[in-house]
Amino acid sequence: MSSQEQLLEGLNGPQHEAVTHGGGPLLIVAGAGSGKTRVLTHRIAYLMAARGVRPGEILAITFTNKAAAEMRERISALLGARAAASMWTMTFHSACVRILRREAHRLGYPSGFTIYDSADSARLMQLVCKEMDLDPKRFPPKSFSAQISNLKNELVDYDTFAEQAQTEQEKKLAEAYKLYQRRLHEAGAMDFDDLIMVTVNLLQMFPDVAEHYRRRFRHVMVDEYQDTNHAQYVFIRRLVGVESDPDTAVVPPSELCVVGDADQSIYAFRGATIRNILEFERDFPNARTILLEQNYRSTQTILSAANAVIERNEGRPAKNLWSEQGQGTPIVGYVADNEHDEAAFVVGEIDQLTDDGSITPSQVAVFYRTNAQSRVFEDVFIRMGLPYKIVGGVRFYERKEIRDILAYLRVLANPEDTVSLRRILNVPKRGIGARAEESLELFAARERITFARALRRVDEVPAMATRSVNAVRNFTALLDELAAGVPGSTPSQIVEMVLAKTGYLSELTESKDIQDESRVENLEEFVDVAREFENTFSALLEDEAALEGEEGPGTVEEAEPTLVDFLERISLVADTDQLPDADAEGGVVTLMTLHSAKGLEFPVVFLTGLEDGVFPHMRTLGDKTQLEEERRLAYVGLTRAERLLYVSRAAVRSAWGSPSYNPASRFLDEIPPSLVDWRRGEATVLSAPPGRGIGGARRGSGFGGEGFGGTFGSRKTTARTTEAPSLSVGDLVNHDSFGMGRVQLVEGSGDKTKARVDFGADIGEKDFLVKYAPIEKL
DNA sequence: GTCATGGCAACATCA
DNA sequence: TTGCCATGAC
């Protein structure tokens, strides 16, 4: 059998057509689990095997790094690592950055421009609003940031917006937009939305650039097309070219192939429009549409549930997903009293499944709506000793110490980066306080120079204390010293240098605060991350350079990764290494938000927190459009499951401190009752307590036999009860989060009674207000 | 200028 | 519950 035949083997009719289609634009409407990644990767392989396309001519765009990594892996399996490396398989943002690094100088940006994430851009907006003397109550910087993000997604620049601004709000917004953009440009920085918008501008303003990339990418594929926003749509259109455009005459349009499913559109909040997929045939004349309706992933039970839910959305094109897998096992339902109980149920169930040996932890995933919900699961997983991995959530790169060091690195890569510069100005403390910073800012504004330049001219800043002037001088001297150490050093060496010379590390190691110990560990890990990056990066570059000599001067001897490369990786690939490692023995259970779950599949899925107010989220309840997006999110969640699906909810859930009583999610009601086997159909606590506390709802956990099930969360409501346990020194207690401990000290009386409890070497001693702490006397 | 304290608001979802 | 900011003592 030829390799071409092998590529087509086992494909169903529509899949076969999608893989072999040539010529005009192609839309593949791929229902959940219909094998779209298979089609995409086989199409790529087919292009090369049957049609002589070179890997360098292919651009495959995905939405997440996870998806990009998976696709690269599969291509690598089909075609070998070299072919995979010389193809562009990446997210919109990464692809745009790569183009921008080469071309942004045309628009006055340095090629090593800094990428601001949401936190950085929020900070910059804060500075802008302060500069404009705006009342933060009337004009919240956050809302400005969000609105500007939306405008950029629609490719509306500040001048255009200023023209149509009517209200005072809009006028101020237009002004802030303009100033924000100016500050970004001066700082040599772009925010996430700029990455797309500026690339589009570039392609529009410089036809030769558009031509260059159109010549290079003769085949463009876009995954998750239903999640593209307007800016991304225009980017694709510009890149591919359309027959009717005059400037495409030189190079004929490239072959475009997009894949998507309107039912899985879950990113409207960041500007995605289903319009792009619905109007594809109008946008791209001569387009062909192929439907993939056979599902290979799930049992019919799971599909029926998902179909029943998604059918509630109005005005969607009908789709007929079907499976040959048979009914399978009924969906398991569980109503917990509270979120601890829910987590205990999930963990207990996983424990049983893995005990039989029928399931390994890596085959199991737990989904929730918001990241905040992961904490309880984490607690219980730790306590039960079950291995797990949280995808997303409180990210490594969002920790204070990491961001501080990152800010140093960014300033070294780009000295004009104001946001980062101001972050490190007085970190660690060096006597440049708010007062001095303000004087510098004022001076910079008056002289119309950047903050970085103002620093260099401290002597001229009026009303500056001599002490501050000296402190600033020392600071700039430090920066110069660090900068001198950059050439010839690898990213990890630079990180180590920064840690040492700034005194950041020694400040932490000398500190007595226990938190600072883990900060030091995180920084050590950060150095490892840098080293790891150097290793993988060099390997990748060498491969690529070997394969495409014509593309730029990226020869092998230049394969050393630069600081800019490293920073870019961190900004764009925040979830590196977060994909569960399927190769590891048994592996770990994966915990993630529903949004992260898109595109993945697991034999066993727990869909948790199915409560109105949690999922669907509180803020969507009043808005039909948003509610429909939540329903699509539910559809995505349900269709991730292959064989076993669990749905659960908690009757009571504490939301920042106080308990909230949520009714069952409407999505739960939309699943046909005949498909669900309710393991526990009702909570002990049905609704908000009238006058009585719900402390009476205590039971043992009933799972795993450990007795640490953590079902005592309802003690959080004891504000209305009086039953605080009376403790004395030496008592053995059980704490919801910390487990078993012994009372060391009791002081105070009545409501103010405090206890000090020792939880053993791992956790140490903790102080509690007995009345409020989730403690039980044993 | 730095540190400690207390009030107040935030938890969407991602690159 | 956490994290940010304003406030006030040193």
Side-chain angles (χ1 to χ4, degrees):
Chain A
M1 193 166 24
S2 78
S3 67
Q4 278 179 45
E5 283 166 345
Q6 271 175 26
L7 282 173
L8 300 174
E9 204 200 341
L11 297 177
N12 65 32
Q15 286 179 334
H16 185 285
E17 274 183 73
V19 167
T20 54
H21 169 88
L26 174 65
L27 163 64
I28 305 172
V29 174
S34 60
K36 91 181 167 183
T37 308
R38 183 142 184 260
V39 168
L40 266 179
T41 50
H42 281 242
R43 180 174 164 83
I44 289 168
Y46 184 83
L47 284 176
M48 292 168 58
R51 297 175 57 195
V53 174
R54 284 177 297 125
E57 291 177 312
I58 299 173
L59 168 63
I61 293 182
T62 61
F63 250 76
T64 63
N65 294 298
K66 273 198 304 256
E70 195 200 339
M71 189 175 297
R72 212 173 293 131
E73 214 168 278
R74 291 227 215 164
I75 292 170
S76 173
L78 281 175
L79 301 165
R82 308 208 120 212
S86 59
M87 258 181 62
W88 280 28
T89 310
M90 50 183 77
T91 63
F92 271 106
H93 291 86
S94 303
C96 287
V97 167
R98 257 177 109 165
I99 294 173
L100 288 169
R101 290 272 181 239
R102 250 182 87 126
E103 316 282 354
H105 63 91
R106 297 171 187 250
L107 296 171
Y109 287 92
S111 75
F113 61 85
T114 304
I115 299 166
Y116 279 180
D117 67 16
S118 342
D120 301 314
S121 79
R123 177 82 195 126
L124 182 61
M125 184 51 78
Q126 241 179 355
L127 294 173
V128 164
C129 287
K130 211 177 93 198
E131 194 178 333
M132 287 173 61
D133 259 329
L134 292 179
D135 172 8
K137 289 258 156 43
R138 281 182 62 208
F139 307 97
K142 265 195 179 163
S143 139
F144 273 20
S145 286
Q147 293 181 72
I148 289 173
S149 171
N150 290 339
L151 289 171
K152 289 182 176 180
N153 287 335
E154 290 293 320
L155 296 177
V156 179
D157 60 39
Y158 50 79
D159 283 332
T160 312
F161 183 68
E163 279 166 28
Q164 62 193 42
Q166 300 284 322
T167 63
E168 194 196 354
Q169 280 279 336
E170 285 171 349
K171 283 177 181 158
K172 288 289 180 206
L173 177 61
E175 209 181 314
Y177 186 1
K178 185 171 184 174
L179 186 57
Y180 171 81
Q181 216 55 25
R182 189 159 106 208
R183 293 283 174 259
L184 269 179
H185 196 263
E186 283 169 357
M190 297 194 209
D191 65 20
F192 274 134
D193 304 307
D194 279 343
L195 296 180
I196 314 288
M197 185 174 78
V198 175
T199 309
V200 170
N201 293 340
L202 196 72
L203 295 178
Q204 285 175 339
M205 292 167 67
F206 301 94
D208 61 309
V209 175
E211 191 188 318
H212 171 86
Y213 287 100
R214 196 173 302 150
R215 267 187 212 286
R216 157 136 200 202
F217 298 119
R218 299 308 298 153
H219 290 269
V220 175
M221 326 227 163
V222 185
D223 192 13
E224 308 286 7
Y225 191 67
Q226 76 283 353
D227 285 330
T228 50
N229 61 34
H230 180 68
Q232 290 161 335
Y233 160 73
V234 175
F235 168 66
I236 290 298
R237 215 178 142 85
R238 282 277 153 188
L239 198 60
V240 172
V242 185
E243 299 273 9
S244 50
D245 281 358
D247 59 285
T248 44
V250 205
V251 188
S254 305
E255 238 179 272
L256 175 66
C257 166
V258 308
V259 189
D261 175 6
D263 286 336
Q264 295 186 61
S265 156
I266 56 175
Y267 285 107
F269 73 91
R270 76 178 199 217
T273 49
I274 309 187
R275 182 222 156 264
N276 288 349
I277 195 166
L278 299 179
E279 303 284 316
F280 184 79
E281 295 189 359
R282 193 143 59 142
D283 292 339
F284 297 92
N286 307 323
R288 164 101 192 270
T289 301
I290 295 175
L291 262 72
L292 304 182
E293 294 179 304
Q294 181 175 1
N295 174 294
Y296 294 93
R297 180 186 295 152
S298 316
T299 63
Q300 190 57 49
T301 299
I302 291 166
L303 276 188
S304 301
N307 283 334
V309 171
I310 197 67
E311 270 165 21
R312 304 283 178 131
N313 275 3
E314 284 175 22
R316 59 180 268 281
K319 209 181 306 139
N320 181 30
L321 264 195
W322 55 281
S323 165
E324 284 180 344
Q325 315 240 21
Q327 289 301 316
T329 320
I331 297 164
V332 178
Y334 189 86
V335 182
D337 285 348
N338 53 58
E339 71 269 32
H340 302 275
D341 188 15
E342 183 186 38
F345 167 72
V346 169
V347 172
E349 207 62 27
I350 296 173
D351 212 25
Q352 272 184 20
L353 289 170
T354 51
D355 262 5
D356 314 279
S358 54
I359 297 284
T360 65
S362 65
Q363 295 178 305
V364 183
V366 179
F367 300 156
Y368 34 79
R369 175 67 237 265
T370 64
N371 274 311
Q373 289 165 254
S374 69
R375 259 183 66 162
V376 190
F377 286 105
E378 200 168 4
D379 282 356
V380 181
F381 270 82
I382 290 175
R383 216 175 312 147
M384 303 291 273
L386 211 61
Y388 69 95
K389 172 149 210 155
I390 292 184
V391 174
V394 199
R395 296 194 189 115
F396 182 67
Y397 298 110
E398 279 165 22
R399 291 168 204 267
K400 180 187 175 300
E401 62 276 17
I402 303 299
R403 289 201 78 105
D404 285 341
I405 297 307
L406 268 174
Y408 272 99
L409 299 180
R410 285 166 156 199
V411 169
L412 290 177
N414 171 14
E416 298 291 339
D417 177 351
T418 309
V419 169
S420 302
L421 187 59
R422 291 177 72 154
R423 182 183 180 106
I424 57 172
L425 190 60
N426 201 26
V427 178
K429 298 258 178 298
R430 52 174 69 92
I432 310 175
R435 192 61 180 278
E437 190 179 344
E438 218 167 290
S439 309
L440 284 161
E441 191 185 355
L442 231 70
F443 178 71
R446 211 180 38 212
E447 296 286 309
R448 297 182 174 280
I449 55 174
T450 63
F451 195 82
R453 289 183 181 279
L455 274 186
R456 301 289 168 169
R457 289 166 59 183
V458 249
D459 313 314
E460 303 168 43
V461 178
M464 189 83 136
T466 333
R467 265 172 67 171
S468 306
V469 174
N470 284 332
V472 171
R473 280 212 194 108
N474 288 338
F475 177 59
T476 49
L478 172 70
L479 289 183
D480 291 341
E481 189 191 347
L482 292 172
V486 170
S489 303
T490 65
S492 66
Q493 287 165 341
I494 299 172
V495 174
E496 283 175 325
M497 174 181 76
V498 168
L499 287 174
K501 292 202 172 160
T502 57
Y504 197 96
L505 194 59
S506 55
E507 189 188 31
L508 287 180
T509 40
E510 279 157 29
S511 154
K512 290 212 173 72
D513 195 330
I514 341 152
Q515 266 201 353
D516 289 338
E517 262 175 54
S518 71
R519 295 219 157 105
V520 172
E521 284 166 20
N522 287 332
L523 289 170
E524 281 164 2
E525 193 181 333
F526 187 56
V527 176
D528 287 342
V529 168
R531 263 197 216 109
E532 177 75 28
F533 169 76
E534 288 156 18
N535 294 337
T536 54
F537 189 90
S538 314
L540 255 169
L541 254 196
E542 276 166 36
D543 264 356
E544 198 171 338
L547 260 161
E548 38 171 335
E550 89 278 4
E551 201 21 61
T555 48
V556 180
E557 63 248 59
E558 282 177 49
E560 278 301 309
T562 64
L563 187 55
V564 171
D565 293 325
F566 179 57
L567 291 173
E568 177 181 318
R569 162 70 148 250
I570 287 170
S571 325
L572 295 177
V573 191
D575 56 0
T576 331
D577 204 26
Q578 296 212 321
L579 253 192
D581 193 354
D583 304 333
E585 258 174 77
V588 300
V589 177
T590 309
L591 277 60
M592 62 181 125
T593 64
L594 283 154
H595 282 86
S596 313
K598 187 150 90 151
L600 304 177
E601 56 187 15
F602 297 89
V604 184
V605 163
F606 288 84
L607 194 46
T608 68
L610 281 160
E611 299 135 41
D612 262 24
V614 175
F615 184 32
H617 194 273
M618 187 74 76
R619 298 188 193 180
T620 65
L621 292 178
D623 181 313
K624 197 175 139 215
T625 318
Q626 288 192 53
L627 199 57
E628 294 207 332
E629 174 146 322
E630 295 281 295
R631 189 172 281 112
R632 289 193 293 269
L633 191 56
Y635 177 72
V636 166
L638 294 167
T639 52
R640 297 309 98 193
E642 293 170 5
R643 309 206 306 262
L644 267 180
L645 175 63
Y646 288 81
V647 290
S648 62
R649 68 178 176 98
V652 187
R653 182 179 294 276
S654 36
W656 46 88
S658 51
S660 63
Y661 299 80
N662 302 313
S665 168
R666 60 197 68 196
F667 304 147
L668 213 43
D669 298 333
E670 290 166 9
I671 299 176
S674 62
L675 300 176
V676 186
D677 168 19
W678 285 97
R679 196 71 63 79
R680 188 166 183 262
E682 249 174 62
T684 314
V685 196
L686 285 173
S687 57
R692 204 154 60 84
I694 55 174
R698 291 184 179 186
R699 297 165 330 286
S701 75
F703 294 102
E706 240 79 16
F708 279 80
T711 46
F712 311 114
S714 46
R715 275 295 309 281
K716 291 206 168 71
T717 57
T718 41
R720 33 162 74 90
T721 72
T722 48
E723 45 144 6
S726 60
L727 298 175
S728 41
V729 175
D731 281 346
L732 208 55
V733 296
N734 183 26
H735 184 278
D736 261 358
S737 320
F738 302 121
M740 238 183 337
R742 197 172 288 281
V743 177
Q744 305 294 305
L745 179 79
V746 179
E747 60 182 23
S749 62
D751 287 355
K752 297 199 175 83
T753 311
K754 277 196 213 159
R756 174 165 300 163
V757 181
D758 186 2
F759 292 100
D762 285 347
I763 299 170
E765 291 189 340
K766 301 266 179 194
D767 288 341
F768 299 103
L769 263 182
V770 176
K771 184 167 188 293
Y772 296 106
I775 294 183
E776 190 203 25
K777 187 168 160 183
L778 294 177

